[in-house]
Amino acid sequence: MPNIIIIGGGLAGMAAASALVSSGTRVTLLESRPRLGGRASSFVDQTTGTTIDNCQHVNLGCCTNFRHFCEVTGIGNELRTEPSITFIGPNDRAHILAASPWPAPLHLLPSFARLSYLTWYDKWRLAWGLRALAHRRNAGSNELMSDWLRRHRQTPNTIQRVWQVVLVSALSESLDRIAVKDARKVFVDAFLANRHGWELQIPTAPLDTLYTHSVGDWLRGQRVDVLLSTGVSRVIMTGERATGVELRDGRILAADEIILAVPSFSVAALLPEQIAALPVIQGLKQLEWAPISSVHLWFDRPIMPLPHATLVDRLSQWVFDRGVVNAPTGDVANYYQVVISASRDLEGREQSDIIRDVVTELTAIWPMSNGCRLIHGRVVTEHKACLSMLPQNEALRPGSQSPISNVSFAGDWTATGWPSTMEGAVRSGYLAAENVARHLGEAKRFVQPDLPVSWLARVLLGI
Ligand SMILES: Cc1cc2nc3c(=O)[nH]c(=O)nc-3n(C[C@H](O)[C@H](O)[C@H](O)COP(=O)(O)OP(=O)(O)OC[C@H]3O[C@@H](n4cnc5c(N)ncnc54)[C@H](O)[C@@H]3O)c2cc1C
């Protein structure tokens, strides 16, 4: 029975393992940390003793592979699909984005038409811009989105209050660091092609419960050896082929196939010098990443009447109600997470400053927060949260085949055709599993199809 070693227990590694369980192989998943989930994981906040996610992670309906992974591993019921998304405009008014009965791409049109913080001229320019973006000629465009928006005469209002709000949330980057083709993908897949693409899915349990416990147990039940706190120090080669891995504690594990599902910046150190020197591996060091900050707030009472909100024209981009938890005082607290993507501007600022600004924004919006007391707050910044969707990055993303014949790559940084998201990570894991199956002489398809494009989207937009 072939021995497959997967290095890295993030979503890419877990997805690869989940796909390979039925392939008549022996699968070992090695993760250096004491938990699964990688960048989508939880930790214990020492002050409150609560297990909190490093950041709220959300999924969209168009992410078919992530959804498939959750269903297969038994955590599908732990994702709640929101019936609508609430935008809080600069005027503090709430606007509900919800699908009308009209078919895609018109299903969200009534909601957009009601946005009070856009003029009718803005709305007309926006509709025109969306139609132009959806056009096939933009599918391979390396132009930057900021230039494209100027060229397509989008108004400052539409840029700041629609394009930026959607793209910074979806791609975790500023508009001057996003290629047009990636922006197009977001709007086409999430908003135009299928009426379910935009639907927001929110985990109902901490990420640690989902991945370390539920998925970890599921994998073990499928006879995958899941070894936590087991870092790999190098891939061992005999001649042209990899024959195993050396662990950080000196142990050696033999392998017929290896999947490297570690972050791109950790790849070179695991490979022999002559392989690490190849341009494809050196190129990984040039990949640029974007930071995401999350502000965690514990109040003595509820401060908003919604499960989540998208805030327009503010420092805080999204706020999520994470329910009632223990407070450091022993009482209970209402816990909220605020997400700030592409958070370079926060660099060098004191945590207390950031928390003060965010709390001021939130309490100004919702009168029910009057008189609330902040019990505890903290800011968590992941400096390399997501790959920047820069055109030059795209050329550096390798496919799943590494320069070593029996070593495959997986990770949200590989060339999946998707941005670096949970969906991109799961796709990369499935692609790596397909690559391994190919090496073993089997043609298997693990990657799931996209949502179907509606007939009207085909006719109106030529998608
Ligand atoms: C703050 C933040 C917010 C985000 N929000 C969202 C969101 O809302 N929606 C969304 O879709 N995506 C979001 N993302 C992106 C998403 O989390 C990532 O795209 C995805 O989790 C990447 O998975 P991965 O498996 O490719 O990599 P990783 O999660 O980085 O996994 C790699 C794993 O390899 C392990 N490893 C490294 N070296 C070794 C070694 N030598 N031996 C053994 N193991 C090793 C690491 O410990 C890690 O667990 C967010 C990311 C961050 C950081």
Side-chain angles (χ1 to χ4, degrees):
M1 190 185 273
N3 236 343
I4 301 170
I5 286 185
I6 302 170
I7 311 174
L11 276 157
M14 290 188 287
S18 74
L20 287 167
V21 292
S22 58
S23 61
T25 54
R26 186 161 171 239
V27 182
T28 305
L29 180 62
L30 304 174
E31 167 55 49
S32 57
R33 296 188 200 173
R35 56 186 178 271
L36 294 174
R39 269 169 282 152
S41 59
S42 318
F43 65 96
V44 177
D45 173 64
Q46 294 304 334
T47 314
T48 56
T50 323
T51 299
I52 60 172
D53 294 342
N54 61 338
C55 185
Q56 174 73 59
H57 275 65
V58 298
N59 188 54
L60 291 179
C62 56
C63 300
T64 52
N65 286 269
F66 177 72
R67 183 81 217 184
H68 175 264
F69 168 76
C70 293
E71 299 295 346
V72 165
T73 56
I75 59 168
N77 288 339
E78 303 283 4
L79 290 180
R80 181 184 77 225
T81 300
E82 296 287 71
S84 59
I85 301 178
T86 305
F87 288 79
I88 305 293
N91 48 8
D92 291 352
R93 269 182 61 186
H95 295 271
I96 310 288
L97 184 75
S100 71
W102 300 357
L106 306 179
H107 57 306
L108 296 173
L109 195 65
S111 288
F112 271 110
R114 282 194 293 269
L115 287 180
S116 68
Y117 49 86
L118 296 184
T119 64
W120 281 106
Y121 180 69
D122 290 331
K123 289 172 191 169
W124 182 78
R125 294 296 328 162
L126 177 64
W128 189 80
L130 280 173
R131 192 168 184 283
L133 184 69
H135 199 280
R136 251 183 242 277
R137 72 169 169 265
N138 284 314
S141 170
N142 276 341
E143 188 179 5
L144 287 171
M145 199 53 195
S146 46
D147 297 335
W148 187 94
L149 289 167
R150 262 192 300 276
R151 204 157 59 73
H152 287 77
R153 301 205 314 269
Q154 292 300 294
T155 63
N157 254 353
T158 61
I159 292 176
Q160 195 167 326
R161 297 176 173 176
V162 180
W163 295 103
Q164 182 166 299
V165 170
V166 172
L167 290 173
V168 172
S169 306
L171 299 177
S172 314
E173 258 303 3
S174 48
L175 297 176
D176 57 346
R177 293 174 61 84
I178 293 175
V180 170
K181 74 168 168 21
D182 295 305
R184 177 185 183 271
K185 183 158 187 58
V186 171
F187 278 96
V188 167
D189 290 8
F191 295 105
L192 300 172
N194 183 292
R195 57 181 291 109
H196 297 292
W198 68 282
E199 287 170 356
L200 190 68
Q201 298 165 0
I202 302 184
T204 53
L207 296 170
D208 202 37
T209 307
L210 298 186
Y211 301 137
T212 308
H213 300 291
S214 301
V215 175
D217 288 348
W218 183 87
L219 288 170
R220 288 185 189 95
Q222 304 292 317
R223 297 173 188 277
V224 175
D225 272 335
V226 181
L227 305 181
L228 302 180
S229 305
T230 308
V232 172
S233 59
R234 68 182 179 105
V235 169
I236 300 168
M237 303 274 296
T238 306
E240 303 284 289
R241 285 178 67 81
T243 49
V245 297
E246 181 175 344
L247 304 183
R248 287 180 187 155
D249 63 12
R251 277 181 295 156
I252 287 177
L253 303 181
D256 300 297
E257 288 282 335
I258 293 175
I259 297 179
L260 275 180
V262 298
S264 61
F265 42 84
S266 304
V267 169
L270 294 175
L271 297 174
E273 255 172 43
Q274 73 278 16
I275 305 284
L278 294 173
V280 64
I281 308 295
Q282 286 299 308
L284 299 180
K285 295 183 184 162
Q286 291 158 33
L287 286 172
E288 292 183 37
W289 294 77
I292 301 181
S293 299
S294 54
V295 183
H296 302 252
L297 302 169
W298 288 259
F299 288 101
D300 65 344
R301 69 190 72 175
I303 61 148
M304 64 187 239
L306 300 163
H308 74 264
T310 312
L311 310 185
V312 178
D313 268 0
R314 293 174 175 88
L315 171 65
S316 320
Q317 295 161 0
W318 284 79
V319 54
F320 297 89
D321 182 350
R322 299 299 304 259
V324 175
V325 297
N326 289 331
T329 49
D331 300 329
V332 289
N334 290 82
Y335 170 46
Y336 295 86
Q337 269 196 25
V338 172
V339 180
I340 305 172
S341 296
S343 57
R344 288 187 190 85
D345 290 350
L346 298 185
E347 237 169 71
R349 285 189 62 185
E350 291 291 330
Q351 286 219 13
S352 52
D353 265 12
I354 299 168
I355 291 171
R356 189 200 53 227
D357 287 359
V358 166
V359 170
T360 305
E361 283 183 345
L362 300 184
T363 49
I365 296 171
W366 290 290
M368 68 186 278
S369 64
N370 274 347
C372 69
R373 186 169 63 86
L374 179 70
I375 299 171
H376 174 49
R378 69 181 291 170
V379 182
V380 178
T381 297
E382 299 273 355
H383 294 280
K384 290 184 172 176
C386 293
L387 206 60
S388 301
M389 288 295 110
L390 288 162
Q392 61 266 35
N393 264 0
E394 196 52 39
L396 298 169
R397 294 171 80 178
S400 48
Q401 179 59 55
S402 86
I404 306 169
S405 62
N406 61 337
V407 175
S408 305
F409 287 144
D412 61 350
W413 47 272
T414 58
T416 57
W418 273 71
S420 112
T421 52
M422 298 191 289
E423 170 70 10
V426 170
R427 273 181 190 245
S428 77
Y430 285 175
L431 286 167
E434 287 177 7
N435 201 40
V436 167
R438 232 178 346 261
H439 293 168
L440 300 176
E442 286 189 71
K444 292 218 174 181
R445 176 134 178 103
F446 298 120
V447 174
Q448 301 300 302
D450 292 338
L451 292 178
V453 178
S454 91
W455 63 271
L456 195 59
R458 283 181 206 279
V459 172
L460 290 182
L461 303 173
I463 295 171

